Amino acid sequence: MTSAETATTAAPDARVERRAKRIAKHLSSFAAQHGGHADGVVEYVGRTATRIVVVGADGAWGDQVAPSYAVGRRAAELAGLTLHDDFEGELGLKVKTGPYEWKRMAGIQI
């Protein structure tokens, strides 16, 4: 393999790592503010985006959008999230919703 081929194949991985580190900082900050640890699910949103849903140890939740599944998955790993395959069962039971969420959900149904 030539040095040009090596640089070409390494560039996407470096880009994924940079983007993932940036997102991981936000995820780590969220975890620190909400009990020191967080669980997460990495979900496809469409062809060009991935959503990382994160649930803190205290039940607070949020999300981050990544430009690809690879970036989202790597960001979750770098942040030390406990990853789940889906947002059901035990993880769903951890989520605490407040008045804001209930108001928003009711508004959508009306």
Side-chain angles (χ1 to χ4, degrees), residues 85-102:
D85 293 331
D86 53 44
F87 196 73
E88 295 178 5
E90 199 174 302
L91 181 60
L93 292 172
K94 286 184 177 183
V95 175
K96 290 192 170 72
T97 54
Y100 172 79
E101 288 85 6
W102 284 105

Side-chain angles (χ1 to χ4, degrees), residues 1-6 9:
M1 191 180 294
T2 68
S3 62
E5 289 173 322
T6 303
T9 57

Side-chain angles (χ1 to χ4, degrees), residues 19-21 23-24 27 52 70-81:
R19 289 178 173 175
K21 284 180 180 178
I23 294 169
L27 297 172
I52 307 159
V71 171
R73 179 80 186 196
R74 182 66 179 138
E77 291 169 355
L78 288 169
L81 301 183

Side-chain angles (χ1 to χ4, degrees), residues 27-40 53-63 81-82 84 87 90-91 93-96:
L27 297 172
S28 296
S29 175
F30 179 89
Q33 292 172 14
H34 296 282
H37 177 74
D39 294 274
V53 179
V54 60
V55 180
D58 65 356
W61 64 280
D63 65 356
L81 301 183
T82 299
H84 299 263
F87 196 73
E90 199 174 302
L91 181 60
L93 292 172
K94 286 184 177 183
V95 175
K96 290 192 170 72

Side-chain angles (χ1 to χ4, degrees), residues 13-29:
D13 292 340
R15 192 174 322 136
V16 165
E17 194 69 15
R18 277 193 313 275
R19 289 178 173 175
K21 284 180 180 178
R22 207 169 333 145
I23 294 169
K25 285 181 186 178
H26 295 286
L27 297 172
S28 296
S29 175

